[in-house]
Amino acid sequence: EQYMIACMVMAISLLIMRQLGGKWWCSLLAGAIAAWAPLFKETGVSAIGAMGLFVIAQPIFKHRTWKQTGVDIVLLLAGAAVSMAPLYIWIIGWKVPLALPFYFVWDAIAGLIPRSATAQQAGNYVSSMRDAMPFSGQWPKVLRYYLALCLPVSLALGAIIVRLTKMVFSSKVNPQDKPGGLRVECADRFILLLGVWWLLDMAFVWISPASYEQYSLPLTVWGAMTGGYLVAIYRDKLARAVFKTKWVVTGIAGFVLMVVMSWHIFAGLPRSPYSWMKYPQKRNGYVQRLQEVSQRRSFGARGYWEQAGEYVRSRTQPTDKIYVWGWIPGIYLSAQRFSSSANAFESEMHTRPPQQLEQVVDGLLVAFGKEMPKYIVDSRKQHLPLDRFKFELWPIVGYSAQGQPQFLPPDPQTVAMFEQKWGQMTRERFGDDEARRFEIMGKFRKFIREHYEIEQIFGDQVVFKLKT
């Protein structure tokens, strides 16, 4: 989301600069940068959609001529083509096992370009998650995140309502309004761009039923940018007012209201918007984050995933490969080492159909056969749906009196008994598909037992070292 947001903000800003009299290269760069946003996450198409609608609408609303619009469209498309060309050349020319950029577009055009094997194995994340997490469990989470972000949501919604009201009650265009001018009328035209952008991201939050908090990051940025329209109107009214007292008071009241609506973002949240469980103490506010940063600087505090990554880094060479099972990709960053497999993570082990999970596991074992990871880290992260047993690479069967984990003994008889009983328990609690997934994971567990040994534990992260 963070890389996607950066690309979209730069692209939209460059387009606005172009529309306000900027040079031709602003449109070229806008298209080039916007094309990268969906490569970080598919929802980055929201900016592309808003930009396309906005550019096409400009001659309709008499803001630009059809000729100028045609030039803008050509420049945007040329920028996108130039920025994507190196990726296509690399993937196709070198036969890299990655999905082509915008493969979801080619899928929609009746298979114009075949998907790679990796893309075919990826499966339909949204549909599989929808089966695991129905809409009845999703909508309260999304609405709670909307509530937590009430300030940017209110700013954007207010800006759109004000603009629509002005369109309904004012049919006259100020003849003094010129491209590049500072009058508020110049800002009116960009609500179409920013408002559509914001509305799309408000809607895209509903696509995945997982509803993680990071899904709401984009709409906060667009909400703030769209809400800037209200600030522009206020500034204009204040500048024109003969008696400024009421507008000064209005500004102060508005600022106080903004502080109230965003106070929890700074002071911390008492409850989790995701689960609505009450926190032991406030979390996720700027106050708590600053305290965390201070502790890290003062005491060198590190998360368990960072400790695991640094441990691996200190015991490997830059050319050594590793693998992290689960979804804590930060371990790769902390370790500064690459994955042995093109599929460097897996977070859908409980939602993939069993046959797809088997393809994933088989693909990993084939990749490891070509280049064995020197270290494998089992993140042991709980994945959706959260009621399932973790698919551990070396199961923990108990804990000592001192709280140390006791791992499954490697002798064949004990392993066979564990596989049989745990598989039966999984079938009774979660059904045949989950039991089949557990059985498929048995191949991975066997591979770990035969080729690796438990070397270190950092919180939940278990570090395995290749046997010598």
Side-chain angles (χ1 to χ4, degrees):
E1 281 82 3
Q2 295 181 59
Y3 290 106
M4 179 187 72
I5 289 170
C7 287
M8 291 199 283
V9 168
M10 288 189 289
I12 293 289
S13 299
L14 284 163
L15 180 60
I16 292 175
M17 290 168 60
R18 169 63 172 171
Q19 295 290 317
L20 291 176
K23 300 295 185 180
W24 61 270
W25 52 262
C26 290
S27 286
L28 192 71
L29 279 179
I33 297 174
W36 274 84
L39 302 192
F40 295 106
K41 190 169 185 178
E42 283 91 338
T43 51
V45 299
S46 64
I48 296 175
M51 290 168 65
L53 176 63
F54 173 77
V55 170
I56 293 172
Q58 293 314 289
I60 298 175
F61 291 116
K62 309 299 182 184
H63 295 306
R64 291 181 64 87
T65 66
W66 285 105
K67 181 179 179 181
Q68 289 173 322
T69 299
V71 172
D72 288 337
I73 292 174
V74 169
L75 289 171
L76 288 168
L77 293 176
V82 169
S83 69
M84 290 294 101
L87 284 178
Y88 276 85
I89 293 171
W90 176 54
I91 293 173
I92 296 175
W94 276 261
K95 298 181 180 179
V96 178
L98 293 174
L100 288 169
F102 295 92
Y103 69 83
F104 50 91
V105 175
W106 312 132
D107 280 352
I109 310 178
L112 180 63
I113 297 179
R115 295 178 66 182
S116 67
T118 301
Q120 291 173 358
Q121 293 176 7
N124 192 324
Y125 171 77
V126 174
S127 63
S128 61
M129 288 300 298
R130 185 68 66 187
D131 292 338
M133 300 186 68
F135 181 76
S136 60
Q138 179 189 13
W139 70 263
K141 298 184 181 72
V142 176
L143 295 184
R144 287 196 292 262
Y145 279 114
Y146 284 169
L147 180 62
L149 302 172
C150 57
L151 177 58
V153 168
S154 300
L155 285 173
L157 193 59
I160 293 172
I161 292 173
V162 169
R163 178 64 186 124
L164 291 175
T165 302
K166 289 185 66 177
M167 290 178 65
V168 171
F169 293 101
S170 177
S171 59
K172 295 182 179 180
V173 177
N174 193 324
Q176 298 178 1
D177 179 29
K178 298 178 181 179
L182 296 178
R183 295 291 296 277
V184 70
E185 288 84 356
C186 191
D188 289 343
R189 56 189 289 224
F190 295 110
I191 290 301
L192 175 62
L193 172 64
L194 299 174
V196 169
W197 187 19
W198 176 76
L199 288 170
L200 285 173
D201 274 305
M202 285 286 285
F204 284 174
V205 171
W206 295 89
I207 293 177
S208 171
S211 299
Y212 294 123
E213 63 181 24
Q214 60 265 29
Y215 294 175
S216 299
L217 284 176
L219 66 90
T220 65
V221 181
W222 322 152
M225 293 180 69
T226 309
Y229 178 64
L230 298 179
V231 178
I233 292 178
Y234 172 78
R235 184 189 63 179
D236 186 72
K237 296 291 185 182
L238 179 62
R240 296 184 185 189
V242 177
F243 302 101
K244 301 183 183 296
T245 304
K246 73 172 185 178
W247 288 106
V248 171
V249 172
T250 300
I252 294 174
F255 178 76
V256 171
L257 180 60
M258 291 171 66
V259 171
V260 171
M261 295 177 72
S262 61
W263 184 257
H264 55 283
I265 300 299
F266 294 92
L269 297 168
R271 290 178 178 271
S272 165
Y274 188 87
S275 65
W276 205 235
M277 293 180 61
K278 187 175 180 61
Y279 292 134
Q281 57 188 13
K282 290 184 177 181
R283 291 185 186 176
N284 299 333
Y286 278 92
V287 171
Q288 291 80 35
R289 294 302 186 191
L290 289 173
Q291 290 175 347
E292 179 182 336
V293 170
S294 177
Q295 291 176 354
R296 290 170 66 90
R297 288 179 176 176
S298 301
F299 306 106
R302 294 288 186 274
Y304 289 128
W305 63 270
E306 291 174 293
Q307 295 177 37
E310 290 170 358
Y311 180 88
V312 170
R313 183 178 184 180
S314 66
R315 288 161 174 77
T316 55
Q317 299 298 319
T319 54
D320 291 330
K321 299 295 180 66
I322 67 171
Y323 181 73
V324 179
W325 170 249
W327 176 252
I328 304 186
I331 294 175
Y332 288 110
L333 177 65
S334 180
Q336 290 291 289
R337 300 292 181 262
F338 285 111
S339 168
S340 287
S341 169
N343 292 330
F345 57 85
E346 175 59 45
S347 62
E348 302 166 37
M349 60 281 285
H350 299 292
T351 55
R352 291 185 184 276
Q355 61 271 22
Q356 286 189 4
L357 180 61
E358 187 165 27
Q359 290 176 344
V360 170
V361 172
D362 289 344
L364 288 174
L365 298 183
V366 169
F368 296 163
K370 296 177 180 178
E371 187 171 13
M372 293 287 281
K374 187 169 183 180
Y375 282 91
I376 290 180
V377 182
D378 184 357
S379 66
R380 299 189 69 250
K381 186 176 184 291
Q382 192 73 51
H383 294 282
L384 295 173
L386 300 177
D387 61 341
R388 305 300 168 90
F389 300 137
K390 297 177 183 177
F391 283 154
E392 306 164 285
L393 299 187
W394 197 315
I396 294 176
V397 294
Y399 291 87
S400 67
Q402 293 74 32
Q404 295 298 316
Q406 303 295 311
F407 290 90
L408 178 72
D411 65 274
Q413 185 176 356
T414 305
V415 169
M417 186 179 300
F418 169 84
E419 295 284 337
Q420 190 272 328
K421 289 188 175 181
W422 203 258
Q424 181 180 350
M425 188 188 312
T426 301
R427 177 172 285 102
E428 291 172 354
R429 288 193 59 175
F430 306 115
D432 292 339
D433 280 353
E434 188 71 0
R436 175 61 182 146
R437 295 185 188 101
F438 174 78
E439 179 184 343
I440 291 167
M441 284 296 300
K443 293 188 287 187
F444 203 168
R445 292 190 291 269
K446 180 181 179 182
F447 174 83
I448 294 295
R449 290 193 304 270
E450 291 177 347
H451 299 93
Y452 289 83
E453 56 189 4
I454 302 167
E455 179 155 303
Q456 191 60 266
I457 303 172
F458 298 94
D460 283 338
Q461 281 84 62
V462 182
V463 179
F464 302 99
K465 182 182 179 181
L466 183 65
K467 294 179 181 178
T468 56

